[in-house]
């Protein structure tokens, strides 16, 4: 009986240990990328200590006739708040038509206001394809020719507007940073620059390190592509304006299987957060592509960082925790197909305490942290600051009326109230200083009067009122010779 009782916990510990080892083994296989400017990867003050999983991915099948790929969830930490289970959020596919006529380039950077993603109801009869639901993004696949023509951007006809990246077009496992014309929403965070990699993906973090394939990526088709194989025919282009970024991998070949043929595909990022993977030429089955020397992925991922300072060396060691990953089905990727991902509403896009605590999000349990002035469920890029400031301990304890304007009052009354409070505080400080000076003076006089032999007492005797003299004598006062005055210039000469 005792053996049977211990069997369950033992098996659980063994399964967790095996899962951890498999995760660590996967991290060892991460390809190491070089950056166009190699010195940008030399973080002397921050060292990557490891890449770990902290996934809370939840896949739900909205279409009973379709199948979804199962995602293994590995949780290495258990102190994060759990999300309530509820019916899936199913937003409508936004009207996005990034065809070449609608992509209007501009010469000057845009400073337009960044829109926030919403999640309206889904009309399944208006879009062709298979539906998958995720926590942060809603994805949809289609292999319809009309859908492909709708989203494919013809950069060939935009030669004077597209950018040909010469270094990436003749390299292997190399990445380069570019700045976006407009900001982009990724997992609720605003992104103003991305890193394009030769391996069919872009990296979405400002923190550059060599293991770019591990997490924080947007991958239409991550694989071991080498643009040197195709000579001048293999190229990487990109185009950016105030609404869209287009990254184009043109006729790229697999390094370990160049005979498979060339791949041509695009990644489209809308400034409101939509992501599109558009495939023009996929010569082989994607699941058959070898991942021995480079990961093969289709999907998106994000992570947070936990920093640990080593007191002896002063070095900061950083551990990267992947908190969400969307793994799209590789077998669906084929020529003239499209994967579309639409952002769902998250906690960290809420900008006020009221909208945060009243947000009715099926997959999130939002709370407002007054110290950080942020809304979160505790699982985003600001996780370390969230924990260090005790935000995870004060969930659902913040009263918004204490830190924001109450209902029925104009928001303009808040600055006026703050100004009045500041004036009262200054007056109180001045009064306090005057009272302290008066008390100090009275105390000194009392001490001098009671102790006439001290220096204070002698000074008081010497300067008592009976000794005050008001003399205007011209020559009798000895003090009259202390200064000589030049009556013409009015300036002292001694």
């Amino acid at each position: 009986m005792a053996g049977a009782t211990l069997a369950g916990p033992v098996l659980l510990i063994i399964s967790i240990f095996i899962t951890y080892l498999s995760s660590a083994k996967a991290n060892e296989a991460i390809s190491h990328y070089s950056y166009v400017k190699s010195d940008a990867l030399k973080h002397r003050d921050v060292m990557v200590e490891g890449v770990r999983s902290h996934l809370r991915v939840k896949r739900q099948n909205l279409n009973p006739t379709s199948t979804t790929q199962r995602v293994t969830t590995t949780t290495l930490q258990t102190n994060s708040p759990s999300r309530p289970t509820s019916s899936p959020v199913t937003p409508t596919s936004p009207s996005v038509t990034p065809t070449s006529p609608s992509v209007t380039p501009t010469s000057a950077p845009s400073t337009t206001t960044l829109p926030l993603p919403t999640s309206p109801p889904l009309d399944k009869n208006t879009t062709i394809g298979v539906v998958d639901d995720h926590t942060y993004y809603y994805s949809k696949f289609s292999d319809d020719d009309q859908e492909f023509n709708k989203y494919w951007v013809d950069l060939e006809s935009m030669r004077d507007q597209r950018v040909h990246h010469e270094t990436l077009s003749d390299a292997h496992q190399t990445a380069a940073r570019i700045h976006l014309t407009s900001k982009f929403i990724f997992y609720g965070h605003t992104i103003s620059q991305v890193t394009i990699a030769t391996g069919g993906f872009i990296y979405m973090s400002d923190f550059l390190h060599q293991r770019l394939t591990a997490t924080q990526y947007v991958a239409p088709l991550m694989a071991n592509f080498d643009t040197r194989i195709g000579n001048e025919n293999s190229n990487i282009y990109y185009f950016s304006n105030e609404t869209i970024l287009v990254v184009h991998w043109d006729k790229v070949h697999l390094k370990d299987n160049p005979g498979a043929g060339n791949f041509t595909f695009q990644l489209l990022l809308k400034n409101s957060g939509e992501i599109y993977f558009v495939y023009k030429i996929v010569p082989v089955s994607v699941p058959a592509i070898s991942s021995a020397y480079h990961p093969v992925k289709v999907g998106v991922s994000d992570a947070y960082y936990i920093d640990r300072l080593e007191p002896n060396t002063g070095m900061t060691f950083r551990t990267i925790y992947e908190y969400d990953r969307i793994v799209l089905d590789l077998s669906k990727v084929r020529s003239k197909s499209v994967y579309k991902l639409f952002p769902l509403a998250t906690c960290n896009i809420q900008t006020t305490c009221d909208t945060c605590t009243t947000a009715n999000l099926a997959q999130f349990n939002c709370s407002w942290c007054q110290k950080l002035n942020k809304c979160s469920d505790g699982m985003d890029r600001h996780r370390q600051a969230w924990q260090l400031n005790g935000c995870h301990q004060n969930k659902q304890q913040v009263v918004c009326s204490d830190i924001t304007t109450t209902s029925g009052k104009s928001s303009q009354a808040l600055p006026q109230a703050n100004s009045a409070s500041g004036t009262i505080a200054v007056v109180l400080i001045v009064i306090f200083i005057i009272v302290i000076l008066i008390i100090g003076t009275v105390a000194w006089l009392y001490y001098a009067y009671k102790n006439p032999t001290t220096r204070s007492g002698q000074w008081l005797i010497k300067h008592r009122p009976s000794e005050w003299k008001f003399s205007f004598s011209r020559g009798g006062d000895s003090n009259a010779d202390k200064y000589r005055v030049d009556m013409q210039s009015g300036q002292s000469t001694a």
Side-chain angles (χ1 to χ4, degrees):
M1 181 66 67
T5 304
L6 294 175
V10 170
L11 291 175
L12 178 60
I13 294 173
I14 293 175
S15 63
I16 294 175
F17 182 69
I18 293 175
T19 303
Y20 177 79
L21 289 181
S22 63
S23 176
K25 183 65 176 178
N27 290 330
E28 293 176 1
I30 294 171
S31 300
H32 286 252
Y33 267 69
S34 61
Y35 191 58
V36 171
K37 297 179 180 179
S38 59
D39 58 343
L41 287 175
K42 295 179 181 178
H43 297 278
R44 298 179 179 178
D45 56 338
V46 179
M47 296 292 293
V48 177
E49 190 173 33
V51 181
R52 299 288 182 264
S53 295
H54 194 173
L55 298 180
R56 294 194 300 165
V57 181
K58 184 176 181 181
R59 303 286 301 276
Q60 294 180 346
N61 185 9
L62 301 184
N63 189 344
T65 62
S66 65
T67 58
T68 58
Q69 182 177 353
R70 183 178 180 181
V71 178
T72 302
T73 303
T74 304
T75 303
L76 301 182
Q77 298 181 2
T78 59
N79 58 349
S80 60
S82 59
R83 290 179 183 166
T85 57
S86 58
S87 58
V89 181
T90 55
T92 298
S93 172
S95 177
V96 181
T97 56
T99 56
S100 53
S102 63
V103 180
T104 306
T106 57
S107 56
S110 173
T111 58
T112 56
T113 303
L114 187 65
L116 296 178
T118 57
S119 53
L122 170 67
D123 183 2
K124 296 183 180 179
N125 298 323
T126 60
T127 310
I128 303 172
V130 178
V131 179
D132 288 334
D133 177 69
H134 315 282
T135 303
Y136 295 87
Y137 286 87
Y138 161 82
S139 69
K140 198 167 183 65
F141 172 81
S142 175
D143 57 359
D144 181 74
D145 288 350
Q146 293 182 355
E147 286 287 293
F148 168 79
N149 294 330
K150 177 181 179 181
Y151 293 103
W152 180 260
V153 179
D154 185 12
L155 292 184
E156 185 65 24
S157 62
M158 303 168 58
R159 294 195 174 189
D160 56 338
Q161 302 159 8
R162 70 184 185 184
V163 177
H164 175 232
H165 203 291
E166 296 181 357
T167 303
L168 295 180
S169 298
D170 188 22
H172 174 244
Q173 290 191 6
T174 303
R177 172 65 55 86
I178 67 168
H179 293 273
L180 303 179
T181 306
S182 180
K183 292 182 179 180
F184 172 75
I185 296 178
F186 184 65
Y187 279 89
H189 304 285
T190 55
I191 306 296
S192 59
Q193 55 186 359
V194 300
T195 302
I196 302 176
T198 56
F201 68 98
I202 64 174
Y203 178 67
M204 302 297 290
S205 175
D206 292 334
F207 174 67
L208 291 171
H209 56 93
Q210 290 180 324
R211 290 180 282 186
L212 302 182
T213 63
T215 185
Q216 295 187 292
Y217 56 77
V218 177
L221 182 50
M222 182 189 293
N224 195 19
F225 293 118
D226 189 344
T227 56
R228 300 172 299 182
I229 297 177
N231 297 324
E232 296 181 357
N233 293 324
S234 296
N235 295 283
I236 294 180
Y237 305 99
Y238 70 91
F239 167 81
S240 177
N241 67 4
E242 72 279 3
T243 60
I244 195 171
L245 168 70
V246 181
V247 183
H248 180 99
W249 289 265
D250 189 48
K251 301 180 181 66
V252 295
H253 296 261
L254 295 169
K255 180 176 178 60
D256 42 2
N257 188 14
N262 68 77
F263 293 73
T264 300
F265 54 94
Q266 292 180 347
L267 164 63
L268 280 61
L269 301 183
K270 292 283 291 184
N271 64 347
S272 54
E274 295 96 334
I275 304 172
Y276 300 88
F277 303 156
V278 190
Y279 308 94
K280 184 177 183 180
I281 301 176
V282 181
V284 297
S285 173
V286 174
I289 298 176
S290 173
S291 58
Y293 302 101
H294 194 288
V296 178
K297 302 177 183 179
V298 175
V300 298
S301 165
D302 199 25
Y304 61 84
Y305 306 139
I306 298 296
D307 292 334
R308 176 180 61 85
L309 179 64
E310 181 63 40
N312 296 331
T313 62
M315 182 74 69
T316 299
F317 292 92
R318 173 166 289 181
T319 303
I320 305 173
Y321 287 92
E322 182 183 44
Y323 68 86
D324 186 77
R325 182 198 309 155
I326 296 179
V327 181
L328 300 178
D329 194 345
L330 300 180
S331 64
K332 292 183 173 66
V333 177
R334 57 182 65 93
S335 299
K336 292 190 175 181
S337 62
V338 182
Y339 259 125
K340 296 167 282 187
L341 292 93
F342 307 111
L344 301 175
T346 57
C347 296
N348 53 357
I349 67 172
Q350 313 300 327
T351 58
T352 67
C353 180
D354 288 329
T355 59
C356 176
T357 55
T358 59
N360 185 18
L361 306 181
Q363 303 292 343
F364 296 91
N365 184 16
C366 303
S367 64
W368 181 261
C369 183
Q370 185 175 353
K371 288 185 178 179
L372 296 179
N373 199 34
K374 288 183 180 296
C375 181
S376 177
D377 72 328
M379 188 66 73
D380 56 35
R381 293 191 178 189
H382 304 288
R383 178 176 173 84
Q384 185 170 24
W386 188 264
Q387 290 184 323
L388 289 177
N389 286 274
C391 303
H392 61 294
Q393 300 174 351
N394 299 321
K395 293 181 67 65
Q396 307 301 333
Q397 296 180 4
V398 176
V399 180
C400 293
S401 60
D402 292 342
I403 55 177
T404 58
T405 56
T406 56
S407 58
K409 294 183 180 181
S410 172
S411 60
Q412 296 178 354
L414 185 60
Q416 297 177 358
N418 291 338
S419 177
S421 299
T423 303
I424 294 174
V426 171
V427 172
L428 291 176
I429 292 174
V430 172
I431 293 175
F432 177 77
I433 292 174
I434 293 174
V435 171
I436 292 297
L437 290 175
I438 293 174
I439 294 175
T441 302
V442 172
W444 178 83
L445 290 173
Y446 179 81
Y447 170 80
Y449 180 78
K450 290 293 185 179
N451 300 274
T453 59
T454 62
R455 294 181 62 183
S456 298
Q458 292 296 316
W459 187 94
L460 183 62
I461 293 172
K462 183 177 180 179
H463 295 85
R464 63 185 183 274
S466 61
E467 295 295 322
W468 292 355
K469 297 179 180 180
F470 302 92
S471 176
F472 300 95
S473 174
R474 291 185 177 182
D477 193 351
S478 59
N479 292 330
D481 296 330
K482 287 185 178 180
Y483 294 94
R484 289 184 302 167
V485 179
D486 184 352
M487 301 302 297
Q488 294 179 356
S489 63
Q491 297 179 353
S492 174
T493 60

